[in-house]
């Protein structure tokens, strides 16, 4: 099957490039820029993209590629598309001129195409593109041809057909480059001649087969199941492969949504007929440990550590009865994995996300059947596997649950108030037919009391904030412009039906500068 490798030079966009290529029906994966040539040779990609990155090729330890790499691609006629930093790097290697620019160019630019080429096939002579760069190419070596320019960038794109090299200064992978998809499609199909053969659904049998081969006929697997999309799909794939040799552990941390623990158990035990589903009610322990804790990061840490403690104890208990438990399954998906071994460590820590990393001393081998897939691909697999839509199409729910949706200290009273309000919000949003259009919608408990009036009585109760956002990639999100009548209905119901709340506010913060969750 044809594939395209994206070499990651530390930009934020490598994921977007692979995503787009996969959406064309061609398998694509990210490798670090310094991946072993043997690894690339084994894959024998039909094309390679060099991503952008924060470095300048003039930095002391700037990431680079060796001559052997270019010898390999040229001998095997593998086209390379350099984007931004990749575009500079090719020039640097082939003795073009790249000039160091102190001043960055950032934003929309008007690309003027000056030469016909397959890369810009069926584009207009002028197109809007997205630029984000400091350095720029100022002269090209012999054999290269300038394809396009902008007002400030005389060599915005080049090609060398004999050496199978292409470069663009702008970012075709972002939506702000209007015809970016067309450019990538041209590269993948017209230049690299890939076939559209890849479909995520086609991977299911392959994944199941791999699990069977790995686990064998008698060993067992343990999985921490949250009932979210990733762990649910992981569970069903493993269950298909090894049946009830899969042990799922579901921990009720007391921070779940209304009736969640009942619904998850029902789905797995009754609908999907999992025999070894272990439910642990740990609400008491979590709430005890969280008592009086206000700081968001501390809350997250306590929730993560407490989960690990419980999960480890349960594993030890299960291992006693089932000495064949040899594997620990995890619902890790592609972005989680690449993020943890990112080639760039330039990004600042905003929140300690990504749930729990189980300790290494558990001595179990890890199985991660979704490790090469993106969220929407996991969803497609889940639907094909027949997992109920309520699970697969559910909005993302953070590992620390309602713990990060109650500002300040947590207790059962606040949790119950929040659960009731949230259930009303979701009910109304579903009834209005907008649930599937939103990335997330949820209520947040604000520990502030304000005055209200109900009937003839003064009230003095808490505030509930409604957060509803639209997003494609979670890195950015816009607050949803929900219909006023719908918001009014939700607000009225929450105030009338939820004891403890007398004011509802709507959050109009985008991300950035806000984050989606409150803590
Ligand atoms: P923020 O609040 O950073 O959230 O804009 C981005 C997305 O991540 C989810 N989120 C989490 N998911 N564990 C998770 O699995 C976490 O600790 C966590 N914190 C936030 C959040 O719901 C949103 O979809």
């Amino acid at each position: 099957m044809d594939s395209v490798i994206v070499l990651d030079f530390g930009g934020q966009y490598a994921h977007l490039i692979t995503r787009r290529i996969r959406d064309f029906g061609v398998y694509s994966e990210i490798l670090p820029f310094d991946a072993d040539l043997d690894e690339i040779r084994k894959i024998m990609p039909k094309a390679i993209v060099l991503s952008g990155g924060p470095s300048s090729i003039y930095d002391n330890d700037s990431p680079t590629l060796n001559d052997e790499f270019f010898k390999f691609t040229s001998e095997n006629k593998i086209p390379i598309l350099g984007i931004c930093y990749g575009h500079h790097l090719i020039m640097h290697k082939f003795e073009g001129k790249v000039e160091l620019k102190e001043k960055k160019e950032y934003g929309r630019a008007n690309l003027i195409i000056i030469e016909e080429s397959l890369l810009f096939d069926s584009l207009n002579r002028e197109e809007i593109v997205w630029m984000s760069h400091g350095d720029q190419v100022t002269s090209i070596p012999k054999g290269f041809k300038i394809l396009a320019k902008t007002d400030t960038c005389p060599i915005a794109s080049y090609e060398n057909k004999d050496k199978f090299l292409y470069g663009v200064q702008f970012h075709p992978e972002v939506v702000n480059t209007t015809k970016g998809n067309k450019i990538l499609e041209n590269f993948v199909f017209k230049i690299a001649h890939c076939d559209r053969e890849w479909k995520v659904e086609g991977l299911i049998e392959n994944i199941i087969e791999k699990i069977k081969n790995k686990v064998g006929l008698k060993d067992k697997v343990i999985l921490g199941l949250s009932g979210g999309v990733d762990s649910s799909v992981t569970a069903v794939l493993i269950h298909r492969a090894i049946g009830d040799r899969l042990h799922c552990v579901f921990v009720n941390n007391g921070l779940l949504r209304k009736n969640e623990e009942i619904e998850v158990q029902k789905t797995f035990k009754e609908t999907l007929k999992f025999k070894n589903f272990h439910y642990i009610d740990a609400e008491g322990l979590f709430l005890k440990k969280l008592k009086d804790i206000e700081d968001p990061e501390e809350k997250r840490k306590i929730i993560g550590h407490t989960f690990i403690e419980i999960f480890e104890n349960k594993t030890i208990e299960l291992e006693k009865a089932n000495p064949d438990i040899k594997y620990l399954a995890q619902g890790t998906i592609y972005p989680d994995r690449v993020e943890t071994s990112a080639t760039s460590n330039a990004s600042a820590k905003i929140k300690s996300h990504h749930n729990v990393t189980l300790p290494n001393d558990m001595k179990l081998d890890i199985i991660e059947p979704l490790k090469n897939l993106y969220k929407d691909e996991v969803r497609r697999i889940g639907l094909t596997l027949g997992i109920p839509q309520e699970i697969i199409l559910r909005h993302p729910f953070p590992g620390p649950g309602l713990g990060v949706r109650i500002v300040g200290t947590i207790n059962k009273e606040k949790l119950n108030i929040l659960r009731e309000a949230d259930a009303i919000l979701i009910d109304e949003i579903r009834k209005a037919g907008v649930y599937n259009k939103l990335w997330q919608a949820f209520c947040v408990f604000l520990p502030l009391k304000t005055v209200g009036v109900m009937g003839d009585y003064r009230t003095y109760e808490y505030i509930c904030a409604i957060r509803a956002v639209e997003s494609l990639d979670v890195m950015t999100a816009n607050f949803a412009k929900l219909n006023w009548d719908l918001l009014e209905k939700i607000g009225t119901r929450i105030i009338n039906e939820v004891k403890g709340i007398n004011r509802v506010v709507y959050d109009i913060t985008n991300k950035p500068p806000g984050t989606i969750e409150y803590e």
Side-chain angles (χ1 to χ4, degrees), residues 365-376:
D365 266 354
I366 305 285
I367 299 188
E368 295 173 316
L370 307 178
K371 67 176 185 190
N372 289 327
L373 302 172
Y374 289 98
K375 191 86 165 186
D376 57 318

Side-chain angles (χ1 to χ4, degrees), residues 256-283:
L256 304 175
R257 286 161 289 189
K258 189 177 177 183
N259 294 335
E260 196 163 4
E261 71 284 10
I262 300 169
E263 281 157 19
V264 174
Q265 288 192 75
K266 208 166 136 217
T267 304
F268 282 89
K269 286 199 212 161
E270 293 173 23
T271 315
L272 298 170
K273 312 255 180 283
F274 276 44
K275 274 217 185 90
N276 291 314
F277 185 97
H278 309 278
Y279 173 74
I280 302 176
D281 181 357
E283 181 187 36

Side-chain angles (χ1 to χ4, degrees), residues 300 351 353-355 396 398-400 439-440 474 511 515-517:
R300 280 173 172 270
K351 292 178 188 178
H353 254 218
H354 299 310
N355 309 351
W439 175 267
Q440 268 171 303
V474 90
K511 172 184 178 177
T515 53
I516 297 177
E517 304 289 346

Side-chain angles (χ1 to χ4, degrees), residues 46-66:
K46 283 283 276 227
I48 295 177
V49 180
L50 313 182
S51 83
S55 318
S56 156
I57 52 159
Y58 293 109
D59 290 347
N60 276 340
D61 49 359
S62 59
T64 188
L65 292 165
N66 54 28

Side-chain angles (χ1 to χ4, degrees), residues 58-86:
Y58 293 109
D59 290 347
N60 276 340
D61 49 359
S62 59
T64 188
L65 292 165
N66 54 28
D67 296 344
E68 219 191 325
F69 170 85
F70 287 102
K71 190 163 165 263
F72 161 76
T73 55
S74 140
E75 277 172 5
N76 290 286
K77 302 189 170 52
I78 299 173
I80 299 180
L81 174 65
I83 296 176
C84 197
Y85 182 80

